[in-house]
Amino acid sequence: MRWPWWAAALVSSCLPYLLPGQEESFGWFAYGECRGFGAYLRSTEVLRPLTALPAPLVVLAALAAWWLLRRRGRVRAARGAAWAGAALIGAYPLTVLALAAYDAVNGCGGVWSRLVWGLVFQVAVAALVVVAGSGGARRALR
């Protein structure tokens, strides 16, 4: 049963737009000390196109592609469409989380505190899309 997984992915991707106070800003006072955050600041122009599409639209597009391909009997292509949607949603947060983990190992984890939780949420939405497109949690792990 895949529809509950798709519904969970769609609802959870809409939550950041429905909850108040989701925009966070913070200042940076010592630019050269945390290399991961410095790399994040320098690469925002490269990473920004990955966030141009809102997550609910990506989930809906992945769902539509998955559904159409499944109806035509192209199961592998449908699974690939779900993975592509998850990649669009998860590429930016996974990149930033890797930079945050690098800083956390080097003692600069406090800089990332507010930003990281929103990114973890986006990765969870991407994981839901993969599970939905793969046919359940057991099949997604194969």
Side-chain angles (χ1 to χ4, degrees):
M1 191 73 173
R2 293 177 179 97
W3 292 109
W5 290 107
W6 280 110
L10 184 60
V11 168
S12 61
S13 68
C14 291
L15 283 178
Y17 299 100
L18 300 175
L19 298 175
Q22 291 300 315
E23 294 204 17
E24 299 288 339
S25 62
F26 51 91
W28 178 246
F29 56 89
Y31 179 71
E33 303 217 1
C34 296
R35 290 184 181 176
F37 193 72
Y40 168 71
L41 290 177
R42 287 189 300 274
S43 65
T44 53
E45 294 303 317
V46 175
L47 296 174
R48 193 59 56 195
L50 294 173
T51 63
L53 291 173
L57 288 179
V58 175
V59 171
L60 284 174
L63 170 63
W66 172 81
W67 184 72
L68 288 172
L69 288 167
R70 291 282 298 182
R71 282 185 52 110
R72 294 194 181 261
R74 303 196 46 159
V75 177
R76 287 184 186 216
R79 198 173 296 148
W83 276 92
L88 279 174
I89 295 171
Y92 173 74
L94 285 174
T95 303
V96 176
L97 285 174
L99 294 172
Y102 175 79
D103 275 350
V105 168
N106 293 321
C108 288
V111 176
W112 296 91
S113 62
R114 293 183 181 235
L115 181 64
V116 167
W117 289 112
L119 296 173
V120 168
F121 185 76
Q122 288 177 357
V123 170
V125 169
L128 278 173
V129 171
V130 168
V131 169
S134 298
R138 278 184 258 150
R139 218 178 235 187
L141 297 175
R142 286 188 208 174

